[in-house]
Amino acid sequence: MCGIVGYVGRRQAVGILIDGLQRLEYRGYDSAGIVVLNGHGLACEKRTGKIADLEAGIRRGALPGRTGLGHTRWATHGVVNTANAHPHFSCDRKIAVVHNGIIENHAELREELERTHQFRSGTDTEVIPHLIEVLYKEAGGDILRAVNLAVEKLRGSLAIGVIHADHPNCISVARINCPLVLGLGEGENFLASDIPALLPYTRRIVPLEENEIAAIDPSGVRIFDRKLNPRSRRPLEIKWNAETAAKDGYPHFMAQEIAVQGDSVEAEIEAWDRGVQNVAIPRDVDRVAVVGCGTAWHAGLVAKVALEELAGIPVDVGFASEVRYGDHPFGKRTLTLAISQSGETADTLASVRAAREAGSTVLALTNTQGSTLAREADQVICMHSGPEVGVAATKTYTSQLVNILFLALHLGRARGTLSQERLDELVREARKLPAQARKILRQDTLIRNCARKFQEGYGFMFIGRRYNLPTAYEGALKMKEITYFPAEAYGAGEMKHGPLALVDHRMVCVAVAPRGRATEKMVSNIEEVRARGGHIISVATEGDRAVAGVSDQVFEIPACEEMFSPILAVLPLQLLAYHRAVGLDRDVDRPRNLAKSVTVE
């Protein structure tokens, strides 16, 4: 889940590398490093902490050079310290490597290499430069061939960038199960883990495909398969720009991304209105399998309720991290819906490959044009929420929900389980959602004051039913991610089967209870918590006196069709977690131990 950026060209590399790393800091931020190649060889600066700490160190000792690599780390092997920060070097200090992924056979390779090489870190990555150093001689001084030979000996996942002091205008790269994109310029070219790092410099992007290697120099990029056969590919033209992700005056990216959800929801609805999302489902599909991780899994739970209700089709929802190791539900008559904001989630991609092997049609829902998931799926629903910088998903979750619910409408109509009249009625109701979302977000002050009241010393429990059981899960996840305090989520009907034991006067129960099929039952479940001394915060439909009467605090949402309520009900929960985290002085955009794009298992 680390961030990689590389540059070769006519300009000084350091400024471009630092800028690229700052745009990739969401991928990892416990340490960072830069290496550049100049007339004196390889010059390096590494620091623990944020990119700003690295930048400050470089100012004290400038690093001139027109070829370079940068890296921001999310630790897997080895503690967080300067020695374990990337880049890592060969013994002769001629080879530098940055790496995203996990080398599963690093221990056995290290044991063999330690006989003749000195290791300076506790990382799995350091075997790579030492291995390339050995194989460089075997490859007759051909650095790209040496990299390819090294990759053949590595097991696991990797995206690597390599520079060699004897090849001053070249970066060698390789990709297995981790994303890498190449950026095309004029007299200069680029490398990165993700597209946003390159947008200030180029819009012409070439995603590296699985099991490809490449050589980058100022004149262009050369791509090869693992047998060193050349490959060619037309670059993508990226339409959105880096400024789309600006904070726009908000104190945090997360605050900005919460605030724009009226616009992002509207963009998703307009895409379906214009026919942009033209999804064709095979007629013989009789089951749907949904795979995702984290927030995407919660969106999948909403998909289950909607697809079963509106399309009359059974749905299995699985953690991608578990599905890939179990007796999977995929088959020729199964539609596999794979949900991933980044389109690079390793477990989700592995599940997709298992689905394709079983003959399943794969439909991807992703926010990232040109991602691995988008390229490997049979069809793609591409979200229109724009780049999301905050690690905790907000606007991408509501965008996922809009697309999932419209997919359910589309499939219901195609299967004849939803009449045209009812479809038109639901679409009319959906068009109200952007204005309704903006109205909810105007409760920011009310929610902030509530968050302050329960800032410290309280446990949080979230409960919901049907469409809003996933909302409870998502609310709890947001609270955990950015406050670092435990938060649990349960089906409200399950409270009496164990979780009520947690309730006392230090417990805050957040009940997601908008008007729907199970509202009366929700009121009864709230009463169970209230009778045991718990504090009640409810998300309820405007004017619902029954819910308000058993609650200490109510965040109201406008009346809507029950199927659309998860889009609205999650908004106050995002704000509640955000304001509690800010009050606790947390880094809400970059919570500890987490990264935005989870590209390792």
Side-chain angles (χ1 to χ4, degrees):
M1 295 190 285
C2 307
I4 292 173
V5 63
Y7 174 79
V8 56
R10 61 185 183 276
R11 292 189 266 183
Q12 291 296 317
V14 166
I16 295 168
L17 298 176
I18 286 288
D19 181 60
L21 290 180
Q22 288 170 337
R23 297 173 190 276
L24 292 177
E25 198 167 13
Y26 63 88
R27 296 182 68 95
Y29 35 84
D30 55 40
S31 60
I34 280 178
V35 59
V36 295
L37 180 56
N38 55 41
H40 303 289
L42 299 178
C44 175
E45 185 76 32
K46 300 198 283 189
R47 284 286 191 281
T48 57
K50 304 288 180 69
I51 305 300
D53 301 315
L54 175 66
E55 187 175 17
I58 291 173
R59 285 199 200 103
R60 290 193 291 270
L63 295 179
R66 291 179 170 82
T67 301
L69 295 168
H71 187 274
T72 180
R73 182 176 186 243
W74 186 86
T76 55
H77 294 71
V79 299
V80 178
N81 59 28
T82 304
N84 287 335
H86 296 217
H88 292 289
F89 295 86
S90 57
C91 287
D92 62 8
R93 293 286 294 188
K94 285 192 171 185
I95 299 168
V97 172
V98 293
H99 167 227
N100 178 20
I102 292 176
I103 306 302
E104 294 175 354
N105 61 333
H106 73 96
E108 57 196 79
L109 289 171
R110 187 183 187 112
E111 183 179 3
E112 179 182 341
L113 288 163
E114 279 182 330
R115 297 170 188 164
T116 53
H117 290 256
Q118 182 178 358
F119 281 72
R120 294 177 172 81
S121 79
T123 68
D124 56 335
T125 298
E126 198 182 352
V127 302
I128 302 175
H130 294 301
L131 191 57
I132 294 173
E133 183 179 9
V134 171
L135 295 170
Y136 182 68
K137 298 174 183 176
E138 182 180 325
D142 184 329
I143 183 60
L144 189 66
R145 183 162 174 258
V147 169
N148 192 45
L149 290 171
V151 169
E152 288 179 3
K153 295 181 179 291
L154 302 173
R155 292 199 311 270
S157 57
L158 62 87
I160 58 172
V162 182
I163 56 177
H164 193 296
D166 293 344
H167 302 267
N169 295 310
C170 179
I171 301 174
S172 301
V173 302
R175 177 229 162 114
I176 300 176
N177 295 326
C178 286
L180 273 179
V181 297
L182 312 179
L184 307 183
E186 297 294 332
E188 57 184 3
N189 290 292
F190 308 84
L191 161 71
S193 298
D194 204 355
I195 292 171
L198 305 183
L199 290 182
Y201 309 102
T202 181
R203 301 289 183 85
R204 299 173 65 227
I205 302 296
V206 178
L208 209 61
E209 299 283 2
E210 190 66 14
N211 283 304
E212 287 185 335
I213 64 172
I216 310 171
D217 62 42
S219 64
V221 301
R222 293 174 293 134
I223 302 173
F224 304 88
D225 64 17
R226 293 289 302 285
K227 295 182 179 179
L228 296 181
N229 297 313
R231 286 186 170 181
S232 61
R233 190 169 303 120
R234 181 178 297 177
L236 300 175
E237 293 289 339
I238 303 301
K239 303 300 182 184
W240 45 274
N241 57 45
E243 285 66 42
T244 306
K247 291 181 185 177
D248 196 25
Y250 288 88
H252 303 95
F253 281 111
M254 186 177 181
Q256 188 266 346
E257 288 157 3
I258 291 172
V260 300
Q261 285 176 101
D263 296 338
S264 57
V265 165
E266 188 168 41
E268 304 296 353
I269 295 169
E270 287 179 350
W272 283 91
D273 280 347
R274 297 196 312 270
V276 172
Q277 312 293 14
N278 187 17
V279 180
I281 307 298
R283 290 184 176 275
D284 61 348
V285 163
D286 60 10
R287 178 172 292 274
V288 176
V290 185
V291 292
C293 299
T295 289
W297 182 75
H298 300 157
L301 295 176
V302 175
K304 175 178 173 64
V305 182
L307 287 166
E308 290 182 344
E309 178 178 320
L310 300 173
I313 189 168
V315 180
D316 298 304
V317 185
F319 291 114
S321 55
E322 294 294 329
V323 168
R324 63 181 297 191
Y325 296 112
D327 295 323
H328 59 68
F330 310 126
K332 292 182 179 179
R333 299 182 67 181
T334 300
L335 171 68
T336 297
L337 173 59
I339 308 172
S340 169
Q341 181 277 139
S342 67
E344 303 293 350
T345 308
D347 289 315
T348 304
L349 290 172
S351 294
V352 163
R353 287 158 190 160
R356 291 184 65 84
E357 287 177 9
S360 179
T361 298
V362 176
L363 173 62
L365 174 55
T366 181
N367 193 40
T368 310
Q369 179 187 8
S371 65
T372 304
L373 178 60
R375 298 196 304 274
E376 294 193 7
D378 297 295
Q379 297 186 71
V380 182
I381 298 174
C382 196
M383 293 152 56
H384 293 75
S385 56
E388 185 178 66
V389 176
V391 166
T394 52
K395 66 176 181 175
T396 55
Y397 179 64
T398 49
S399 285
Q400 285 169 353
L401 295 185
V402 173
N403 283 290
I404 280 166
L405 294 170
F406 269 83
L407 174 65
L409 294 173
H410 175 88
L411 192 55
R413 188 72 192 105
R415 289 172 58 84
T417 55
L418 190 67
S419 69
Q420 186 64 50
E421 182 181 8
R422 179 60 173 153
L423 173 64
D424 293 342
E425 180 184 2
L426 289 170
V427 170
R428 284 194 298 272
E429 288 299 304
R431 290 176 182 142
K432 299 177 183 177
L433 288 169
Q436 291 173 328
R438 295 179 184 111
K439 183 177 181 180
I440 294 167
L441 293 167
R442 289 198 287 270
Q443 298 180 64
D444 183 77
T445 301
L446 171 70
I447 297 169
R448 181 173 66 246
N449 291 339
C450 182
R452 287 173 177 170
K453 181 179 178 181
F454 299 110
Q455 187 166 293
E456 293 190 73
Y458 291 88
F460 273 73
M461 177 187 294
F462 293 72
I463 61 173
R465 283 180 176 264
R466 278 180 46 79
Y467 280 103
N468 284 297
L469 174 55
T471 309
Y473 288 145
E474 180 64 12
L477 179 61
K478 291 286 98 58
M479 190 66 74
K480 283 180 278 199
E481 283 180 307
I482 62 173
T483 70
Y484 314 155
F485 281 129
E488 302 295 332
Y490 298 99
E494 294 298 303
M495 293 295 293
K496 54 187 171 291
H497 298 293
L500 276 175
L502 297 172
V503 176
D504 62 12
H505 70 287
R506 306 302 292 177
M507 174 63 72
V508 179
C509 179
V510 181
V512 190
R515 194 168 295 136
R517 194 181 297 182
T519 308
E520 289 184 2
K521 295 294 184 184
M522 278 295 299
V523 172
S524 298
N525 300 139
I526 294 169
E527 289 275 24
E528 293 170 353
V529 177
R530 186 178 179 85
R532 289 157 178 83
H535 303 274
I536 308 294
I537 300 173
S538 291
V539 178
T541 303
E542 290 175 345
D544 191 325
R545 294 182 181 179
V547 175
V550 294
S551 305
D552 301 301
Q553 177 71 63
V554 177
F555 304 143
E556 291 189 328
I557 68 171
C560 65
E561 289 281 348
E562 185 181 5
M563 66 175 286
F564 297 129
S565 64
I567 298 168
L568 303 179
V570 77
L571 302 178
L573 306 189
Q574 293 172 351
L575 287 170
L576 182 67
Y578 170 77
H579 286 302
R580 190 176 184 222
V582 169
L584 293 166
D585 198 28
R586 307 299 195 227
D587 187 344
V588 295
D589 286 336
R590 300 178 179 90
R592 69 185 185 193
N593 304 333
L594 301 179
K596 186 72 175 171
S597 180
V598 186
T599 58
V600 296
E601 297 178 36

